[in-house]
Amino acid sequence: MTKRCFSSSQLYAMRNQINIQRLIEKKLQIPSRVIKGCFRFLCPLCNGSDTAVNPKTNLARCFSCKMNFNPIDLVMAVTAQSFVETVEYLKPHLADNRTD
């Protein structure tokens, strides 16, 4: 069995404490806008815009391709990086997120 590179608490924090809407808008710069009070973004998988973000669960959803994204999943989809590369990319954003 290989040694884990990241603790469960680190991964939990990345999934739950990095604001997914802010990640979409500011860090990944995915095209997005607010339509009738609802935040929409361009899905990185299907390019659909029938999307939403749930701030309570910190998840994004594309209703066209039926995919859910947490911050790790979203970065992997946008950048085509591996899981390890994505977690390394997000590490500094945990600290950034606490000061925003």
Side-chain angles (χ1 to χ4, degrees):
M1 185 169 173
T2 61
K3 183 179 172 186
R4 285 184 71 172
C5 297
F6 312 105
S7 70
S8 296
S9 61
Q10 276 182 311
L11 297 176
Y12 180 87
M14 286 180 192
R15 288 185 188 112
N16 295 289
Q17 293 176 8
I18 296 175
N19 182 288
I20 198 155
Q21 183 171 331
R22 194 173 310 125
L23 182 68
I24 290 167
E25 290 179 296
K26 306 227 187 275
K27 304 294 183 191
L28 298 174
Q29 297 182 338
I30 298 171
S32 59
R33 61 184 169 184
V34 176
I35 301 172
K36 296 182 182 179
C38 193
F39 179 77
R40 304 283 185 199
F41 63 96
L42 194 62
C43 176
L45 299 179
C46 74
N47 292 321
S49 59
D50 187 15
T51 57
V53 169
N54 184 336
K56 290 181 182 179
T57 60
N58 200 42
L59 293 173
R61 170 123 176 119
C62 176
F63 297 99
S64 297
C65 67
K66 311 227 183 312
M67 288 297 298
N68 289 320
F69 301 97
N70 65 42
I72 296 171
D73 298 329
L74 191 63
V75 172
M76 287 176 68
V78 170
T79 65
Q81 293 179 334
S82 71
F83 179 80
V84 172
E85 292 169 323
T86 298
V87 172
E88 290 294 338
Y89 169 84
L90 286 172
K91 273 185 183 181
H93 298 301
L94 261 179
D96 290 348
N97 194 60
R98 292 185 184 123
T99 60
D100 285 347

